[in-house]
Amino acid sequence: MGRGVLRPDLAATRFRLARHAPSEALTPFVEYYWIPRWDLRGEPPFAQTILPHPNVHLVFEASGAGIFGVDRRLFTRSLSGLGMAFGVRFLAGGFRPFWQAPISQLTDRVVPAARLFGPQAEKTRQAIMRVGPENSADSAASAGTADAADSADEVDARMIGYAEALLCSVRPERDWMAEQAAALVSRITADPGLRRVDQLAAASGMTARSLQRLFADYVGVSPKWVMRRARLHEAAERADGGEPVDWALLASDLGYADQAYLTRDFTATLGISPTRYAAPVTG
């Protein structure tokens, strides 16, 4: 399911999630496309909770097309009936060249995709939604078969084509500052033990103040927030791993002063203590 999808084992029983890389033309901006599909007909709705990353998303779904800024809270979406969505996850900093304004304007907000892409956003949404749901039904009926996989890949390729046509219609020039921001965020998320902004400043050759400005403009959140979120992603992933967790040792590895600080941070963000979160859950 990927880091950030909470309770991934339970989630895998309710929906399927495909990811696809972008074309070469869009790799400076887009990290990947994500496509969830579900068939919950005759079953109760399912609420999936996400611990968001420092990325902007463009999402096409039945209810509309929206640009989702970095969400500093938990994000929960209720799934019901038969459905799908199509998302574009931009690299951290990668949406700034499209938006042409500080990404902090989008933090904790969702704005209509038409604000950037005009009427073509809705046309693209309609084209994607015409293709996607029919494959949800087909692959649900024949899940696990080679034919279903081939069909899903073909349909995914068509949806990606529609999305890339939209993105390429307004594709900006490459922006070295966006790529620098992406590299810095990648460095943080690859090393949850990176603890302080001054460490990142020393490693990057930038001042702490310059880092703060770069992240506010291109990422939408502070480097300290990205560090904290990386640690919580690691803690949640360990809790979801199914093995006993030495929370005191993990707290030390992640740079917390002690287990109490990790517990406080985890509980404040996820609304549940790490030990309770790690307890077995039935669907």
Side-chain angles (χ1 to χ4, degrees):
M1 282 291 172
R3 180 173 284 193
V5 178
L6 301 182
R7 313 285 193 198
D9 290 346
L10 178 59
T13 69
R14 299 296 188 269
F15 66 92
R16 292 168 296 109
L17 181 63
R19 289 192 177 94
H20 300 279
S23 66
E24 184 177 355
L26 289 167
T27 53
F29 313 104
V30 173
E31 187 168 356
Y32 58 75
Y33 304 109
W34 50 272
I35 307 170
R37 291 183 172 91
W38 59 92
D39 187 353
L40 298 175
R41 289 174 292 186
E43 299 181 38
F46 175 70
Q48 178 60 52
T49 302
I50 305 293
L51 184 61
H53 293 259
N55 302 79
V56 174
H57 295 256
L58 170 63
V59 183
F60 302 94
E61 50 193 331
S63 59
I67 298 166
F68 289 68
V70 179
D71 199 332
R72 292 176 292 187
R73 304 150 298 190
L74 291 178
F75 177 83
T76 301
R77 178 55 54 91
S78 180
L79 309 179
S80 61
L82 175 70
M84 56 78 63
F86 183 99
V88 181
R89 171 161 149 158
F90 291 87
L91 289 161
F95 191 67
R96 175 61 171 80
F98 289 89
W99 189 245
Q100 292 294 303
I103 294 300
S104 55
Q105 293 180 352
L106 294 170
T107 302
D108 296 324
R109 295 181 60 205
V110 181
V111 301
R115 179 166 169 181
L116 176 62
F117 300 101
Q120 195 60 37
E122 175 58 17
K123 293 178 182 178
T124 301
R125 185 196 72 83
Q126 291 177 8
I128 287 173
M129 297 310 296
R130 278 196 301 269
V131 173
E134 66 189 37
N135 182 251
S136 296
D138 291 344
S139 56
S142 53
T145 69
D147 287 346
D150 290 344
S151 177
D153 287 344
E154 291 168 2
V155 171
D156 288 0
R158 290 174 63 189
M159 291 190 289
I160 290 168
Y162 292 132
E164 292 212 331
L166 178 68
L167 294 173
C168 287
S169 71
V170 295
R171 187 184 65 186
E173 296 295 321
R174 291 182 66 162
D175 183 334
W176 74 269
M177 291 184 67
E179 295 177 29
Q180 181 182 35
L184 289 169
V185 169
S186 179
R187 184 168 192 160
I188 293 170
T189 55
D191 180 11
L194 190 60
R195 305 169 184 182
R196 300 191 312 273
V197 175
D198 61 345
Q199 290 177 308
L200 184 64
S204 65
M206 300 176 66
T207 66
R209 186 175 180 84
S210 295
L211 278 175
Q212 297 285 0
R213 287 198 298 264
L214 176 67
F215 272 62
D217 193 3
Y218 278 79
V219 184
V221 288
S222 70
K224 184 175 181 179
W225 185 94
V226 177
M227 291 176 182
R228 179 182 177 221
R229 183 51 53 91
R231 293 188 293 181
L232 289 175
H233 277 140
E234 177 69 18
E237 186 172 61
R238 292 282 289 275
D240 279 320
E243 298 294 330
V245 179
D246 184 334
W247 293 105
L249 178 60
L250 180 59
S252 176
D253 289 346
L254 295 180
Y256 288 96
D258 55 34
Q259 182 178 342
Y261 277 90
L262 168 58
T263 299
R264 195 155 43 242
D265 199 12
F266 193 102
T267 305
T269 303
L270 275 72
I272 185 173
S273 71
T275 52
R276 286 186 59 198
Y277 179 85
V281 174
T282 57

